[in-house]
Each structure stands twice: as C-alpha cells, then as structure tokens.
Amino acid sequence: MTHTESAWAKINLTLDILGRRPDGYHEMKMVMQSIDLCDNLELSEREAPGTAVSSTLPYLPRDGGNIAAKAAEVFFAHLGRPAPGLDIHIRKQIPVCAGMAGGSSDAAAVLRLLRRHYAPSMLEEELEAVAAQVGSDVPYCVRGGTALARGRGEILTDLPPLPACYFAVCKPTFPISTPELFAQVRTRRLHCHPDTAGMISALEQGDLEGVAHRLYNVFEDVLPRKYAQVFEIKRSLLDLGAIAASMTGSGPTVFGLFRDEENARQAADALKAHFPASFFCKNVGRAV
Ligand code: C5P
C-alpha cells in the first residue's frame, strides 16, 4: 500500500542571526510561513531492507545521503525498532538549494507519514524532537503554518495566520549553499536586524502593511557580490506591484508580497519569462 503526503515550501518573513553557539550552529530568530508550493511524497513498504529514495530529479541522492531517508532512519532509531524496507518517491516541485526548505520539508513529510502509520500515539512534541535530529528546519516543516522559530530553528511558537495576501516567488538560476552564507556571517558584523517583535504584533493585528514593511532577512546584508541578481529580482517584484519583497532563508529565492491575487499571478508570469523557477503562491496553515 502506498501512502502520500504533501511537503510544503516555506518562506521567511524575517530571518535574524543572534550569534554563534558553542555547538557551532547559529542562534536564530525567524518568522516562518508555509506556502502552497509543494513536493509530493509516496511511501510504501518493500521486501528489501533499507530505505530507497527516488525522485523526479535524477541527481538527488537515492540512499541515506537523502535527508528523506535520514528522517526514516532517525525515526525508527528513536522507536528502538528495526526499520522496515521502505521506498520513498518524491515528485519535486520546490527548487533545490533555494532557501525554501525543500529537503527539510520532504524529511518532515516522511516523519508525518511514519508517525501516522507506525506510532500514531506519538505526541507532536516528540515528533518535533525527532525532527530536530534530522535538521534545524525540519521541526518547523513538520508543523508548518505561521510560526516563530528560535534556537537552531527548532524552538517553535505558533503565530496568528498571515492576513489574506499572495506571493510571487522567484529563484535565480544559481544555487546558494547554506553553510557558505553562514560562513559569510561569521566574517562580517551585522548592523541591522529585523523588527521581529513588530512583525509579531502586525500579525496579531492582522495588519498586512505592517507585515510587509517588516520583511527582513539579514543574509541579504552579507550576500557576496556574485549573487547581486537577488537584488535585481527584488527590484523587479516591487516594479511589478509587490508591497514589499525579500530573500527567503539562505537564498537565492526572492518573494514579493501582494495584496491583489491577479497582480501576484501576473508578476509570477512576467518573471517566468526570465526565470523558469517562478511561482504564484498562497500561504497555507499548519500541517499537524
Ligand atoms: O541543521 P542543518 O543540517 O539543516 O544545517 C545545515 C548547516 O547550516 C549546518 O551545518 C550549519 O553550517 C548551518 N546552520 C547553522 N546554524 C543554524 C542552522 C544551520 O550554522 N541554526
């Protein structure tokens, strides 16, 4: 029998880095939002042992090197029982190395599926603790919706949903490696930080203008010059009618926030002519 699950992409309404931690990770404060761009996962048991991953992108790892397989391994290790043989197939739509947590979101979808079928009484907090062993963004991706993420990214607080709005999301043609950008942060001083408290109160008041004007990602401030196209796309989104635009995660994907649905669709279409990975998106609520 095959079980299916959607893996939603995320964008960062804010991304702040508070400092380096003794464990080598960075202390984060981020307002995260799920959007309706998703990968689709299929999971089924098989006779052969181990976890095999296949996907619509032939260059993704097919074994334990794929974070979706790592999620299964960590899940059964946590239960203290041998893992059954598993086949995971991923229909990828979320761009890879894009700052939208595509891999983390696939891993989170595997964890939701495995809990449903092998440990239905497992509490959400326990599943999120398992997720934290898989990757820093995986606990948020298990939960989804609008949330504040602190610590490595695993300390989560639900926030009120975004007021009605629409996004045009655009990934330049180059990828950016997350460790590379964190390394940039370590060599530079961050002078500006997002107004996270202001963002949270704008969400509490359902104030879309307030949300839009507080979009801020500190990674933009340390972006090497070779990635300047990020700023050109931000400019294009504003010219196309976005109230505000920002890079998400460690980039290079940029999103524009729009009040009007048709305007966001047209902006995504206009960008698609130059950047194939351009999408019209809506926000989505919690997954669990
Ligand atoms: O936890 P995850 O494997 O997703 O992290 C990928 C890389 O991102 C880490 O190896 C680390 O270099 C960096 N990272 C960090 N601080 C965080 C999250 C990730 O330095 N809070």
Side-chain angles (χ1 to χ4, degrees), residues 24-26 28 135-136 152 178-179 182:
Y25 281 84
H26 293 79
M28 311 296 291
S136 303
R152 271 167 57 212
T178 303
F182 274 114

Side-chain angles (χ1 to χ4, degrees), residues 180-200:
E180 180 195 347
L181 264 205
F182 274 114
Q184 288 288 331
V185 171
R186 290 199 289 279
T187 61
R188 310 258 291 271
R189 213 180 138 73
L190 296 173
H191 295 286
C192 297
H193 294 272
D195 174 11
T196 311
M199 174 62 83
I200 292 170

Side-chain angles (χ1 to χ4, degrees), residues 14 68 81 121 156 164 237 242 254-255 279:
T14 64
R81 59 181 266 192
S121 61
L156 300 171
L237 282 160
V254 176
F255 65 94
F279 310 91

Side-chain angles (χ1 to χ4, degrees), residues 199-217:
M199 174 62 83
I200 292 170
S201 54
L203 287 166
E204 283 166 352
Q205 288 158 29
D207 168 14
L208 186 61
E209 292 285 330
V211 168
H213 292 122
R214 288 180 180 85
L215 297 184
Y216 197 99
N217 180 342

Side-chain angles (χ1 to χ4, degrees), residues 17 19-21 23-28 30 67 70 104 132-138 150-154 177-180 182-183 186 219 250:
I17 302 173
R20 191 128 195 245
R21 302 158 39 125
D23 63 5
Y25 281 84
H26 293 79
E27 193 67 19
M28 311 296 291
M30 308 180 278
I67 190 170
K70 184 181 170 192
S104 299
Q133 297 174 49
V134 182
S136 303
D137 280 345
V138 183
R150 291 174 300 127
R152 271 167 57 212
E154 84 286 19
S177 120
T178 303
E180 180 195 347
F182 274 114
R186 290 199 289 279
F219 275 131
S250 54

Side-chain angles (χ1 to χ4, degrees), residues 15 31 45 112 135-136 148 171 175 192 207 242 248 257 264:
L15 188 154
V31 177
E45 279 199 19
R112 286 196 301 268
S136 303
L148 176 68
K171 181 189 168 284
C192 297
D207 168 14
T248 176
L257 188 155

